[in-house]
Amino acid sequence: MSRWIEVSLRVDGESAEAIAEVLGRYGHQGVSLEQADIRPDTWDEADLPPADSLILRAYFPDDVRAAATKAQLEAALGHMRLLYPMPEPVYRLVREDDWSQAWKAHYQPLRIGRRLLVRPRWVDVALSEGDIDIALDPGMAFGTGTHPTTQLCLEGLERVVQPGQIVLDLGCGSGILSIAAVKLGARRALALDIDAIAVSATRENASYNQVAQRITAQQGSIETALSAARRFDVLLVNILARVIMQLAAQGLGEVLRPGGVALFSGIIAEQADEVSATLGGAGLQIVARHQQGDWLLFEARRRAE
């Protein structure tokens, strides 16, 4: 049976993006991010601790290269420590079956916004009148609802989605935002991700939530969206700020119909001005900002032609 080495660090929101990029160089299939200090019995978003502390986790094989990988990672983190204060990384050895299941112990139902209840598929809960139930098994894809950026997007969807709209979810991860959008009334969603694992997770979760007929999940990015036959009413982009700016420079604003609304998350406060300016250059006007801890969500609209 294969064994893996888990490396984890507890960091603040300001440094999370840069440190996650370093871990991503050595981790297998990406880096997980979760908000720290969420108690297992926390069900309501209002009871969450401040979103100022995150736990990053990455995994690499426990094989003949493990010592060299750890040394390279330590050196890279040492350079990062000159820029950002951070604790020493914590390592632990896990078996492959433990790796695929261990995170589930920390994934609990969570109420977000006014009506959304996000829960693991293996946990049943009693729903109240008006609840919108979103049951997920993200697998190795990003998106459980515990991260502040995802929570900001879900709250934003409650504000902006109107019945009959067509939604583009760019970087869909587990499919959580596409599923929420159609359950809130959107007619259809196109869910795109460059990662085949994310596309598979989105399809499986959409099927489990009985919305598969309204969600098209496929591999792709902005080029796929720009080549679509129509423009979208709502755009969802829950990605790192630097990727948002890269996409904006590639014509991201053009995927929206004039007057369409976009939600951009994954932005830390220090990046706000640069991201805002880049989006403005792409024809997207910021109409609102929402913040949770160090993380921001921009609500923008495409200018009327």
Side-chain angles (χ1 to χ4, degrees):
M1 180 179 294
S2 299
R3 299 198 306 177
W4 298 80
I5 297 173
E6 177 191 87
V7 53
S8 62
L9 292 99
R10 182 173 179 138
V11 302
D12 59 27
E14 179 181 357
S15 63
E17 178 178 347
I19 297 172
E21 189 169 3
V22 171
L23 289 179
R25 299 174 198 165
Y26 305 96
H28 179 70
Q29 292 187 344
V31 179
S32 72
L33 298 88
E34 65 184 61
Q35 185 175 340
D37 302 324
I38 298 180
R39 301 189 313 275
D41 59 346
T42 299
W43 279 55
D44 197 309
E45 182 187 16
D47 296 330
L48 290 173
D52 53 9
S53 184
L54 301 171
I55 297 175
L56 306 181
R57 289 189 175 90
Y59 298 84
F60 56 91
D62 180 32
D63 56 19
V64 294
R65 299 165 296 176
T69 300
K70 183 176 179 180
Q72 292 169 348
L73 175 59
E74 292 279 1
L77 291 174
H79 292 303
M80 290 295 301
R81 197 168 279 110
L82 299 176
L83 301 174
Y84 302 102
M86 71 177 86
E88 292 294 323
V90 176
Y91 298 92
R92 74 183 184 101
L93 195 63
V94 296
R95 296 180 305 174
E96 186 164 345
D97 55 345
D98 293 336
W99 173 35
S100 62
Q101 299 295 323
W103 63 272
K104 293 184 176 182
H106 306 287
Y107 181 25
Q108 301 294 326
L110 183 63
R111 293 187 179 275
I112 299 173
R114 301 184 306 276
R115 294 178 287 165
L116 298 173
L117 190 149
V118 180
R119 64 177 176 88
R121 280 169 28 185
W122 54 91
V123 175
D124 292 323
V125 297
L127 298 176
S128 302
E129 184 177 356
D131 280 349
I132 295 176
D133 180 37
I134 301 175
L136 297 174
D137 184 350
M140 293 300 297
F142 176 79
T144 61
T146 62
H147 194 275
T149 62
T150 308
Q151 292 170 21
L152 285 166
C153 284
L154 291 169
E155 293 169 350
L157 282 170
E158 279 199 323
R159 292 189 300 270
V160 306
V161 168
Q162 300 296 320
Q165 290 181 321
I166 308 297
V167 174
L168 172 61
D169 183 3
L170 195 55
C172 58
S174 68
I176 182 173
L177 299 182
S178 291
I179 293 167
V182 297
K183 286 198 169 190
L184 285 164
R187 180 157 59 94
R188 290 197 61 82
L190 174 60
L192 299 178
D193 205 296
I194 60 174
D195 186 352
I197 292 175
V199 173
S200 177
T202 294
R203 289 173 179 166
E204 184 176 338
N205 285 317
S207 178
Y208 188 88
N209 284 272
Q210 301 181 9
V211 292
Q213 297 302 313
R214 296 160 63 191
I215 295 175
T216 300
Q218 63 186 76
Q219 276 188 273
S221 186
I222 184 171
E223 299 84 3
T224 311
L226 288 171
S227 64
R230 62 162 296 151
R231 293 299 174 250
F232 298 87
D233 302 298
V234 179
L235 168 64
L236 308 173
V237 188
N238 182 22
I239 310 178
L240 298 176
R242 59 178 176 79
V243 180
I244 291 173
M245 291 188 287
Q246 290 169 1
L247 294 173
Q250 296 171 33
L252 182 60
E254 297 175 19
V255 305
L256 277 174
R257 64 166 178 78
V261 63
L263 300 178
F264 296 100
S265 194
I267 305 161
I268 58 174
E270 289 75 9
Q271 300 166 325
D273 291 343
E274 186 178 6
V275 174
S276 178
T278 303
L279 293 177
L284 297 166
Q285 180 182 3
I286 307 298
V287 296
R289 299 186 184 194
H290 302 272
Q291 186 163 358
Q292 185 174 336
D294 293 328
W295 299 94
L296 289 172
L297 175 138
F298 285 168
E299 182 180 330
R301 290 191 180 273
R302 183 179 178 185
R303 301 185 184 97
E305 294 178 346

